[in-house]
Amino acid sequence: MSIEQGSRPSLHTTSTAELKAMLNDSVEIIDEIRAELDAREAQTQELEKMDTLMVEARPRLQEIRGFFALVLDELRTRRGPPK
Amino acid sequence: MVETTHRAAPDQYARPAQKEKQGRLRQWLTLVLLVYFLICAVSIVGDGFKLATGDHAERLFEFATNPFVGLMVGIVATALIQSSSTVTSVIVGMVAGGLPVAVAVPMVMGANIGTTVTNTLVSLGHVNDKNEFRRAFAAATVHDFFNLLAVVILLPIEILFHPLERMAGAVAGAFYSDADLSLDNVNIVGQLTSPVTDTAGQLVSSLPAVAGGIALIVIGVALIFLSIRYIGKLLKTLMVGRARQIMLSAIGRGPFTGVASGALVTMLVQSSSTTTSLMVPMAGSGAFTLRQIYPFTIGSNIGTTMTALLAATAISGATALLALEIALVHLLFNLCAVLIIGGLPFLRLLPVKGAQWLGRVAAERKALAAGWVLGVFIALPAMLIAVTVL
């Protein structure tokens, strides 16, 4: 604690503008830390589902067929309605 | 009455635990048996190839002396089977049977590209949500971009100077000279696998040499395919907890840990397709960014080389060194790719940028995503052959 106080510039002698800037910076850093922690929490939760994902994350013929059906639809739409 | 209940309760809990323990033991024993069959199968492919080609393996594979043809063989075979481990294990067996290492090297490189089709196909399942598809498709194709870039850089160098083949030869030579000192004339693997390989040989002994050889190759390839498939299935259940721990501990630790954890998880489940496909829904949901997935994907390339190394232990005799050499080429190729692409700042982010761009355009126009899948895995190899053959 004392070391931290020693390395930090004295707040009493810092100008108001500087103090406001420091506060703004701190808020930004805290927000970034919060966002990073939230992202890591989401990643941890995602990894909890790994048992299911390991089994389910594989190519499925029905999904591939569905994708190519969508592609054909897209191509037909771009070509315009049949005359 | 109360006492009886108290005594019965721990017993009730103990029984399922004991059953689970027995189930696990059975799974581990099955795994050992499957690994044994994999090793036997690689040996059978080698024997079959020797029998079918006699001393003319080189002449038989003359068509593949064009490295682009070899590359295409690797891409198409792996894309069809959806397992680079199976293809590289078969290649190890074929090298043991007389296929020249120089001809096999582009095939191994092709297997590296072909294996990326699996997670790309998995990403197509996310097509109904535009943003999810953009993230998922980018996460899948970063593997395509990295492996294509690795081949673009290393295949021409290999064709001109053979550095991978030379390095692998030196390492394999050093390994076998040491092995000779400690295991002089004791062919442990050969003795262990001979009951299965001899039985397979006897089964086809009544056939003419070429037909018998082809039959052995078919039996061997089928056995490799099935054993790797079931090894993967078993390892998924046995290793999921440990794989999760590895991935959890890699969060927030930077790219080196990412590469190492990708390699470790792939070694545990013995399939790069499983690990890279696993990352697709995780990226699709937005939980992991593309940059976080990238090192993990690269690591999976290294982890998957262990199967071919394991397969090389099956080979004994004069061609054992060559079998180990081609397995080491697979490992060295992937290590060099990581060192070159990961080490050079102007190359490092190329796969990420390429995948991000492709993800964006594919989310807008699905036909482009389809074009990528069909182009990379079918049209590009065909075009390369056409250009070099004609």
Side-chain angles (χ1 to χ4, degrees), chain B residues 203-232:
Chain B
L203 279 175
V204 300
S205 59
S206 56
L207 297 170
V210 176
I214 292 169
L216 275 183
I217 293 171
V218 172
I219 292 170
V221 171
L223 206 53
I224 289 174
F225 179 76
L226 289 173
S227 46
I228 286 183
R229 192 181 160 87
Y230 287 107
I231 285 172

Side-chain angles (χ1 to χ4, degrees), chain A residues 36 39-40 42-44 46-51 53-55 57-59 63-64 67-68 70-71 74-75 78, chain B residues 82 118 122 124-125 127 236 243-244 247-248 251-252 269 277-278 282 285 287-288 292 365-367 369-370:
Chain A
E36 181 60 32
R40 289 189 189 186
Q43 288 170 355
T44 309
E46 196 76 14
L47 286 172
E48 290 301 323
K49 296 185 276 183
M50 208 158 138
D51 314 49
L53 286 176
M54 263 214 186
V55 181
R58 61 189 166 84
E63 286 178 353
I64 297 166
F67 169 78
F68 280 100
L70 276 174
V71 169
E74 187 187 86
L75 289 173
R78 279 182 188 271
Chain B
Q82 287 188 24
T118 311
V122 169
L124 301 183
V127 73
K236 271 184 198 173
R244 187 196 292 119
M247 287 178 71
L248 279 171
I251 292 176
V269 297
S277 299
L278 181 71
M282 289 183 181
S285 69
F288 285 84
Q292 285 170 324
R365 291 185 65 179
K366 285 156 197 81

